[in-house]
Amino acid sequence: MALPPSEREAYLERVCVDSDDRREVESLLRQLRRPRLRAVIGPSGAGKSSFLQAGVLPALPAGWSALMCTPTDRPFTALAQVLAAEMVSDSEAVQLL
């Protein structure tokens, strides 16, 4: 669920508890403009999923998409499953793999 730019500012005001939260969300959004894979890594319970689901994902620019993956004890298998489910209808992407 990406928000239009007109709603993004109001959303960040409501969700970000303090200016540090907002800076973190805005920092990751700036980094995402460069075409690279990004990972949010931290110990269990640190708030990684909350940061993404409540802060970053809704603030993504219109037209962007994101996949979330919980690595479990087999991180590459978990990632492959998430990617495969997303790409199953894209035969060109599957061929590139």
Side-chain angles (χ1 to χ4, degrees):
M1 165 189 98
L3 295 174
S6 60
E7 295 178 29
R8 193 172 305 127
E9 185 67 27
Y11 173 81
L12 289 173
E13 289 294 326
R14 283 193 319 271
V15 169
C16 295
V17 175
D18 58 33
S19 59
D20 288 339
D21 291 343
R22 185 181 178 115
R23 277 194 294 273
E24 289 298 322
V25 168
E26 290 172 344
S27 173
L28 185 55
L29 289 171
R30 277 193 305 278
Q31 292 176 39
L32 289 172
R33 295 202 180 277
R34 290 181 233 126
R36 294 186 177 161
L37 176 66
R38 299 289 179 199
V40 176
I41 301 169
S44 179
K48 302 173 298 294
S49 294
S50 296
F51 172 69
L52 293 172
Q53 292 173 337
V56 176
L57 296 182
L60 288 175
W64 285 32
S65 62
L67 300 173
M68 285 190 56
C69 171
T70 302
T72 67
D73 61 336
R74 300 187 67 200
F76 292 110
T77 299
L79 179 59
Q81 289 172 336
V82 169
L83 290 173
E86 181 69 19
M87 296 170 50
V88 72
S89 63
D90 187 345
S91 59
E92 182 181 344
V94 171
Q95 290 296 321
L96 291 172
L97 287 176

